[in-house]
Amino acid sequence: MEPNTDNVFNFSAGPAGLPKAVMAKAQSELVNWNNLGTSVMEISHRSKPFIQVAEEAEQDLRDLLNIPENYKVLFCQGGARAQFAAVPLNLLGDSAKATYIDAGYWAESAVKEAKKYCETDVFVAKTEKDGKTAVVPASQWQIAADSAYVHFCPNETIDGIEINDLPNTDKPIVADMSSTILSREIDVSKYGVIYAGAQKNIGPAGICIAIVRDDLLDLASDLLPSFLSYKVLAEKDSMFNTPPTFAWYLSGLVFKWLKQQGGVKAVEQINREKAAILYNHIDGSDFYKNDVHADNRSLMNVPFQLAKPELDGAFLEQAEQRGLVALKGHRAVGGMRASIYNAMSLEGVQALVEFMKEFEQANA
Amino acid sequence: MEPNTDNVFNFSAGPAGLPKAVMAKAQSELVNWNNLGTSVMEISHRSKPFIQVAEEAEQDLRDLLNIPENYKVLFCQGGARAQFAAVPLNLLGDSAKATYIDAGYWAESAVKEAKKYCETDVFVAKTEKDGKTAVVPASQWQIAADSAYVHFCPNETIDGIEINDLPNTDKPIVADMSSTILSREIDVSKYGVIYAGAQKNIGPAGICIAIVRDDLLDLASDLLPSFLSYKVLAEKDSMFNTPPTFAWYLSGLVFKWLKQQGGVKAVEQINREKAAILYNHIDGSDFYKNDVHADNRSLMNVPFQLAKPELDGAFLEQAEQRGLVALKGHRAVGGMRASIYNAMSLEGVQALVEFMKEFEQANA
C-alpha cells in the first residue's frame, strides 16, 4: 500500500510541520518574491524589502506575545543549544553562579553547557505524584541567593512534561521555550530572557528567537562571541552578521498566520482541545498509556506507549499508510510521540485518535 | 517604467542569487518533497530521508573540492562571523598567539573578534603596486614562530581583492573562503581549516561549511560553546544541535548543479571569462574605473566607480529597469559592485557590459 501523500498529518517533534497555508504561500512566491524576479532568500538582508520583512516579523511577534517595550526581540543563529552557552556568557555579570531547574532532558542539557562558564546550582524538580511523573511546584523551587539568574525549560519535548507556574524570585527568570512558545498565553514581563529555537512553533530550523529585558544587556563576559551577544544583536537589529533571511521570512509568515487564527489566545484554546482529545483517549484505554501527571502534561508533545510494545512497528507502519507520520518516540524513551504544535489541525488529532481506536480493536 | 522581473540578473554580494535550476527544483518540491507529502524542512534531521540529503551533500562537496579523507566536512551555524570566534577557540591549544594576514574588511573583522581570545600578530598585506591596490605576495608574509595558526581571507567581498598564493609555513593555514569557495580550484591539503558562509557560492544564508584537518580537532578551549566545536560537530555528523535542514538541502542541490556544470574546473573557466569581460570593459573606458591591481582582482566581486559619481543613482536605477539588480556598492566604499558568483551566467555579465556601454554613450 502506497503512503497517502495528499493529506499528510505530520507529528514531527522538530523540525516540525508548518501551517499548510504558509507553505503554499512560500511555494507560490519562491522564485519571484514581491515582484522582484528573485527569491526573498536571494536579496541583501540590508535591502529595504528585506528590512520590511524583518521589522514586520518583529512587530507581529510583539503583538502576538504582548511583549513590553523594555524587551528586545532578537533573531539569532545556533538554536537553543547556542543559547545554552549564550545565556551564562550574556547574563552572569560579576556572579559566578546560576540556578538551573531540572525537570527533563533539555533542562539537563542546558546545565551541562552552563557548567563550562559558571557554578550551576541545580534544583531537581522532576518528581512523582500519584505514581506519575510530575514537577515540583515553582513556589517550592530552591533558588540560591547568589545566583545571577534562574533557568528552566517550561516544556520538555522528549519527556512530554510542561511547567505552568513560575517561581517568586527577584532573580531574572530565563526560559527555554523552544517547544511551547506561542502555544499558550504568557506574561513576558515575568521573564528576564525567553528564547526559542524556531523549528517547532515558529518556522524552519536555523533561527532562534531571544526576547531579552533591556536591563540585562550590559552583563556580558568578555569571552562571549560577538554574534551571540544580546547587546550586539540589539544594537544591530539582529544583523551583526548575515541573518538566516529565508527562515526569518518564513517565521514572519507563521506570525501572520497566527494572527489570522485569532492570535495566541485562540490558538491556545484549540491546543487545549487537541491535547484533551488525545490524552482522554489514552486515559480511556488500557491499550495506550502516558505516565505524566495531568498537572504537568505537555500541550505540545504527547508521548505514549503501547501496552504491547512488540506492536510499535506495526502501529507506526500502519499510521504512516494513513498519512499519520513522524509518530516514533524519541530514541531516548522509545514508544510513540505525537507532537501537536500550532500547525497541527484538530482534524489531524482526530484522525490520529480514529486510527488509534481501529488499531486497538484489531490488536487488543 | 516597470522593472523587468522575467529575466532578472542578480548581482547581490550576499545573500546572493542561486542557480535558477536549483530554485525551480526547490519550488517544485517545496510542499511535497520526496513524495513524503511534506517539505524537506518539515521532517526530522535524524530521519533517513534527511540523513541521505546530508550525506549526499557532504560527498558531493568532497568530490567537487577533492577533499582528502583526513579532513572533516562540517555544516555549522552562525556564519563566518561565528567562525571568527570559533577558530581561535578551536585551534589555539596551548598557544597564546595567532597570526592574521590583513588585506581587507573581512580579514580585519576576524582580527577584532580573535583579540577576545588571543594575542593577534597582524601582518598588513594590503599595499600599493603601480598606483593600484594590491597584496604583498604570500612568500613575504611574516608569520610569528609561536603562532598557533595563520588566518587569511582569500577573497575580500567589499574591497574586491583576491589572494591567489599561499605562504610557505608549517603553521596550519586557516582561510575564510566565504566569497571564493567553489569558484576556482584549490588544494585543500594545503590548509588546516577552510570555512565559508553559504550565502555567496553555496546556498542560502544560515549555514556555514567548515573543512577541518583532523589533527586539529583536539585543541579546543574549555570555553568553546559546544555547538561551535569542530570535534563535537565531527563526532555528531554536524547534528549536535538541530541543523538548518532546508539550507543544507539547498546547498546540496547547488553542489549537484555544480557537478552538472562540469565541476569546479569548468566553473572556474566560466568565472575567469565573466571577470575578464567585465574588467576589460572597465579598463577600456575612462568612464568606469576599478582601482585593484590585476594581480589581485577578485574573480567574484567587481567593485567599480563612475568617473562622474553624481550619476551613480541614475546608473543604478536604469540598470534595475533592465533587470540588472543589486549593483550598489557596499556602504563602506560606495560606487557599484557586481558580484558574479557561480550562479551568475555569462549572459548576465554580457547584459551588464552592454548596459554599461549604453549608459556611457548616453552620459559621457
Side-chain angles (χ1 to χ4, degrees):
Chain A
M1 189 173 161
E2 279 292 301
N4 168 357
T5 59
D6 290 336
N7 200 17
V8 161
F9 295 112
N10 178 5
F11 295 90
S12 175
L18 291 163
K20 285 182 198 297
V22 165
M23 292 304 295
K25 183 170 168 58
Q27 183 176 40
S28 72
E29 60 193 26
L30 193 73
V31 302
N32 182 15
W33 176 76
N34 219 8
N35 204 28
L36 290 179
T38 68
S39 170
V40 65
M41 77 180 87
E42 296 172 294
I43 63 170
S44 170
H45 50 299
R46 302 195 192 280
S47 64
K48 274 183 200 157
F50 188 78
I51 287 174
Q52 190 178 340
V53 167
E55 289 178 348
E56 279 185 26
E58 176 178 337
Q59 189 56 53
D60 287 335
L61 183 62
R62 284 185 176 275
D63 295 344
L64 285 164
L65 291 176
N66 197 18
I67 301 174
E69 278 192 14
N70 63 320
Y71 284 74
K72 301 290 186 187
V73 174
L74 310 175
F75 292 80
C76 316
Q77 293 188 60
R81 284 214 187 256
Q83 294 302 314
F84 293 173
V87 163
L89 285 166
N90 272 289
L91 301 184
L92 277 171
D94 293 332
S95 181
K97 188 191 280 186
T99 294
Y100 280 74
I101 309 303
D102 178 3
Y105 181 93
W106 289 108
E108 278 168 42
S109 302
V111 172
K112 272 184 211 157
E113 187 75 7
K115 278 187 193 301
K116 292 186 173 185
Y117 308 107
C118 63
E119 188 186 336
T120 54
D121 178 60
V122 178
F123 178 76
V124 177
K126 203 173 184 175
T127 185
E128 261 199 27
K129 187 172 169 182
D130 311 331
K132 297 266 195 179
T133 303
V135 180
V136 175
S139 58
Q140 295 169 34
W141 294 353
Q142 286 161 32
I143 299 166
D146 55 347
S147 280
Y149 58 87
V150 51
H151 178 280
F152 82 120
C153 179
N155 187 73
E156 286 285 357
T157 325
I158 293 174
D159 309 79
I161 288 173
E162 190 147 355
I163 299 173
N164 299 294
D165 51 354
L166 284 174
N168 259 326
T169 176
D170 59 348
K171 305 294 176 196
I173 298 174
V174 180
D176 173 3
M177 291 208 182
S178 296
S179 53
T180 182
I181 194 165
L182 295 165
S183 73
R184 54 177 167 96
E185 290 190 295
I186 53 167
D187 180 352
V188 173
S189 74
K190 304 277 192 199
Y191 297 83
V193 175
I194 291 168
Y195 64 88
Q199 67 271 15
K200 288 124 186 343
N201 250 345
I202 295 175
I207 195 161
C208 178
I209 307 283
I211 302 167
V212 182
R213 208 174 63 210
D214 61 11
D215 64 298
L216 301 173
L217 293 173
D218 285 313
L219 298 165
S221 157
D222 291 342
L223 295 168
L224 172 66
S226 303
F227 84 105
L228 294 176
S229 162
Y230 298 149
K231 185 172 190 176
V232 169
L233 286 166
E235 285 174 352
K236 302 281 189 182
D237 297 325
S238 302
M239 293 192 188
F240 168 68
N241 54 344
T242 309
T245 50
F246 188 68
W248 196 331
Y249 148 84
L250 265 183
S251 303
L253 292 188
V254 171
F255 299 154
K256 287 194 192 301
W257 175 84
L258 280 171
K259 283 181 140 183
Q260 284 160 11
Q261 307 308 301
V264 175
K265 188 172 189 165
V267 164
E268 174 173 352
Q269 202 173 340
I270 300 169
N271 286 334
R272 294 202 180 278
E273 198 178 341
K274 281 152 50 184
I277 290 173
L278 196 44
Y279 284 119
N280 286 342
H281 184 69
I282 292 166
D283 290 345
S285 147
D286 292 332
F287 194 78
Y288 301 103
K289 67 182 164 76
N290 165 288
D291 70 357
V292 181
H293 193 279
D295 288 356
N296 293 106
R297 278 176 164 176
S298 169
L299 273 184
M300 294 285 101
N301 308 97
V302 183
F304 61 92
Q305 294 79 40
L306 301 188
K308 301 176 182 171
E310 65 274 19
L311 293 177
D312 282 7
F315 181 95
L316 292 168
E317 194 184 329
Q318 291 173 35
E320 196 162 322
Q321 283 167 357
R322 296 271 200 110
L324 305 166
V325 306
L327 283 163
K328 193 171 179 181
H330 189 273
R331 63 198 186 286
V333 293
M336 312 320 147
R337 174 172 50 171
S339 293
I340 51 175
Y341 299 117
N342 289 343
M344 173 56 62
S345 62
L346 192 60
E347 187 195 357
V349 175
Q350 286 163 338
L352 171 59
V353 167
E354 195 50 46
F355 167 71
M356 288 169 74
K357 281 182 199 168
E358 291 177 28
F359 188 82
E360 178 175 353
Q361 280 163 7
N363 296 280
Chain B
M1 191 173 158
E2 279 292 301
N4 167 358
T5 60
D6 291 334
N7 199 18
V8 162
F9 294 113
N10 178 5
F11 294 92
S12 175
L18 291 163
K20 286 181 198 296
V22 164
M23 291 305 295
K25 183 169 167 60
Q27 183 176 41
S28 72
E29 62 193 23
L30 193 73
V31 302
N32 182 14
W33 176 76
N34 219 8
N35 204 28
L36 291 179
T38 66
S39 169
V40 65
M41 77 180 86
E42 296 174 293
I43 64 171
S44 170
H45 51 297
R46 302 196 191 279
S47 64
K48 273 183 202 159
F50 189 77
I51 287 173
Q52 191 178 340
V53 167
E55 289 178 349
E56 279 184 25
E58 175 176 337
Q59 189 56 54
D60 286 336
L61 183 62
R62 284 186 176 277
D63 295 345
L64 285 164
L65 289 177
N66 197 19
I67 300 174
E69 278 192 16
N70 63 322
Y71 284 74
K72 301 290 186 186
V73 174
L74 310 175
F75 292 80
C76 316
Q77 293 186 62
R81 283 213 186 256
Q83 295 303 314
F84 292 172
V87 163
L89 285 167
N90 271 290
L91 301 184
L92 278 170
D94 294 331
S95 181
K97 188 191 281 185
T99 294
Y100 280 74
I101 309 303
D102 178 2
Y105 180 94
W106 290 107
E108 277 168 41
S109 302
V111 172
K112 274 184 210 158
E113 187 74 7
K115 278 187 191 302
K116 292 185 174 188
Y117 308 106
C118 63
E119 188 185 337
T120 53
D121 178 61
V122 178
F123 178 78
V124 178
K126 204 174 184 174
T127 185
E128 261 199 26
K129 187 171 169 183
D130 311 331
K132 297 265 195 180
T133 303
V135 180
V136 175
S139 59
Q140 296 169 34
W141 295 353
Q142 285 160 34
I143 298 166
D146 54 350
S147 280
Y149 57 87
V150 51
H151 178 281
F152 82 119
C153 179
N155 188 73
E156 288 283 357
T157 325
I158 293 173
D159 309 80
I161 288 173
E162 189 147 356
I163 299 172
N164 299 294
D165 51 354
L166 284 174
N168 260 327
T169 176
D170 59 349
K171 307 293 177 197
I173 298 173
V174 179
D176 173 2
M177 291 208 183
S178 296
S179 53
T180 181
I181 195 165
L182 294 165
S183 73
R184 54 177 166 94
E185 290 191 295
I186 54 168
D187 180 352
V188 172
S189 73
K190 303 278 191 198
Y191 297 83
V193 175
I194 291 168
Y195 62 88
Q199 67 271 15
K200 289 130 186 337
N201 249 345
I202 294 174
I207 197 162
C208 178
I209 307 283
I211 302 166
V212 182
R213 208 175 64 210
D214 60 12
D215 65 298
L216 300 173
L217 293 174
D218 287 313
L219 299 166
S221 157
D222 292 341
L223 295 169
L224 172 66
S226 305
F227 84 106
L228 293 176
S229 161
Y230 297 148
K231 185 173 191 176
V232 168
L233 286 167
E235 284 174 354
K236 302 280 188 181
D237 297 324
S238 303
M239 294 192 190
F240 169 68
N241 54 344
T242 309
T245 50
F246 187 68
W248 196 331
Y249 148 84
L250 265 183
S251 302
L253 292 188
V254 171
F255 298 154
K256 287 195 191 301
W257 175 82
L258 279 171
K259 283 181 142 182
Q260 284 160 12
Q261 308 308 301
V264 175
K265 188 172 188 167
V267 165
E268 174 173 353
Q269 202 173 340
I270 301 168
N271 286 335
R272 293 200 180 280
E273 198 176 340
K274 279 152 51 184
I277 290 173
L278 196 44
Y279 284 118
N280 285 343
H281 184 68
I282 292 167
D283 290 344
S285 147
D286 292 332
F287 193 79
Y288 300 104
K289 68 182 164 71
N290 164 289
D291 70 357
V292 181
H293 192 278
D295 288 356
N296 291 107
R297 278 176 164 176
S298 169
L299 271 184
M300 295 285 101
N301 308 96
V302 182
F304 60 92
Q305 294 79 40
L306 302 189
K308 303 175 183 171
E310 65 274 19
L311 293 177
D312 283 5
F315 182 94
L316 292 167
E317 194 183 327
Q318 291 172 35
E320 197 163 320
Q321 283 167 356
R322 295 272 199 111
L324 305 166
V325 305
L327 283 163
K328 193 173 180 180
H330 189 273
R331 62 198 185 288
V333 292
M336 315 314 150
R337 175 174 49 173
S339 292
I340 51 176
Y341 300 118
N342 290 341
M344 173 55 63
S345 61
L346 193 60
E347 186 193 359
V349 175
Q350 286 163 338
L352 171 59
V353 166
E354 194 51 46
F355 167 71
M356 289 168 73
K357 280 183 200 166
E358 292 177 27
F359 188 83
E360 178 175 352
Q361 279 163 6
N363 295 280

